[in-house]
Amino acid sequence: MRNIIIAIDGYSSTGKSTIAKQLADKLSYIYVDTGAMYRSVALYALQNGCVEDETINEEKLISDLDCIQINFKYNPQLGFAEVYLNGENVESKIRTLEVSKYVSPVATISEVRRKLVEQQQAMGEDKGIVMDGRDIGTVVFPDAELKIFMTASAETRAERRYKELKDRGDDITYEAVLENVVTRDHIDTTREDSPLVKADNAIEIDNSNLTIEEQLLKILKLAENLI
Ligand code: C5P
């Protein structure tokens, strides 16, 4: 059995991390949620005066980049690695609508991307990894053995994210979540540096009408043929 790299890219709230986590679990692979890394930088920006009048102060954020340490630590109770920002577990803090609002503008900054991509490539050096994000199959691991591109309608995705946030007890509306999903997709697909696009050799899965089990089975089959 050989170790491979599985890259899962796609639009916001397509359920990439749910599938990636379970896939990694089944294959005993490492799972890395790269969105959590960009979200952690956005959280840092919000907490450290890098946002003024709802706008990112790019110069300040770039000059602070060396002070931003992002790590993952496996939580055996949850069965996946949680994200830490400068030593603090921020897994829950990075999932708010406030962070979601600033994360895509933060992710357009090339210096931010360079730092995170370098760290992501180091994490995948030994392969045996499932990584999800927007540019994994195109930029981070262009030679990944298996590339998946997940899609679903904006409404389906917003409904899923709305339910997730409501279940956590967040005070939000469906309309605000839908607007965030649509805005993030727009920024992510039109930015200059590493825009979200389907890699030529990625396999597209529209999961609007697929259960988690069906998606998992489909991707597992593809992976098992390569391992
Ligand atoms: O995956 P998630 O929705 O948590 O990602 C949050 C945001 O981080 C995305 O909307 C995108 O702007 C950015 N991102 C990125 N590249 C990645 C992962 C996430 O630009 N590889």
Side-chain angles (χ1 to χ4, degrees):
M1 202 160 124
R2 69 177 182 136
N3 276 343
I4 62 167
I5 293 180
I6 303 178
I8 304 189
D9 290 303
Y11 297 99
S12 307
S13 308
T14 36
K16 297 183 296 293
S17 18
T18 308
I19 296 299
K21 253 180 225 165
Q22 295 191 16
L23 190 62
D25 198 44
K26 290 257 186 243
L27 298 170
S28 300
Y29 273 20
I30 294 168
Y31 161 61
V32 177
D33 171 3
T34 62
M37 300 172 78
Y38 288 93
R39 285 173 177 276
S40 297
V41 177
L43 178 65
Y44 176 94
L46 280 163
Q47 289 178 334
N48 292 276
C50 304
V51 178
E52 290 153 9
D53 297 329
E54 302 200 356
T55 306
I56 311 281
N57 179 337
E58 290 195 15
E59 213 174 301
K60 172 154 171 43
L61 182 57
I62 291 167
S63 72
D64 275 11
L65 276 180
D66 284 344
C67 311
I68 304 178
Q69 294 303 326
I70 297 165
N71 303 94
F72 288 93
K73 260 190 231 162
Y74 187 75
N75 179 332
Q77 262 143 17
L78 294 175
F80 65 91
E82 294 180 291
V83 69
Y84 284 70
L85 169 63
N86 293 336
E88 185 198 351
N89 182 333
V90 291
E91 189 60 39
S92 166
K93 283 188 184 167
I94 58 164
R95 309 282 169 200
T96 63
L97 200 53
E98 173 80 345
V99 170
S100 296
K101 194 171 141 186
Y102 290 99
V103 65
S104 289
V106 161
T108 62
I109 305 171
S110 292
E111 288 81 354
V112 171
R113 303 203 70 83
R114 212 173 303 135
K115 175 183 167 99
L116 299 188
V117 167
E118 206 173 282
Q119 193 177 346
Q120 289 153 11
Q121 288 172 334
M123 289 191 274
E125 243 173 19
D126 297 330
K127 302 202 174 191
I129 194 165
V130 182
M131 193 173 272
D132 80 52
R134 304 292 187 288
D135 59 343
I136 311 306
T138 51
V139 175
V140 183
F141 296 120
D143 297 328
E145 287 82 356
L146 178 58
K147 299 180 188 179
I148 304 290
F149 191 81
M150 304 266 258
T151 63
S153 75
E155 288 74 16
T156 307
R157 294 183 283 123
E159 255 163 48
R160 287 182 192 149
R161 184 51 64 102
Y162 173 70
K163 191 173 175 309
E164 206 177 293
L165 293 172
K166 266 288 180 207
D167 287 349
R168 271 173 39 136
D170 286 13
D171 181 21
I172 34 113
T173 62
Y174 167 78
E175 287 70 28
V177 175
L178 177 63
E179 196 206 330
N180 176 258
V181 163
V182 172
T183 307
R184 274 201 291 141
D185 285 348
H186 177 70
I187 300 174
D188 293 346
T189 49
T190 56
R191 69 181 173 222
E192 233 166 79
D193 191 343
S194 319
L196 166 65
V197 311
K198 177 179 166 292
D200 289 340
N201 52 353
I203 295 160
E204 185 165 335
I205 298 181
D206 181 333
N207 67 18
S208 305
N209 298 307
L210 290 179
T211 64
I212 290 171
E213 290 68 30
E214 287 167 335
Q215 296 169 60
L216 191 61
L217 212 66
K218 203 172 172 139
I219 303 175
L220 257 179
K221 253 193 207 153
L222 293 167
E224 279 163 0
N225 282 336
L226 295 164
I227 289 176

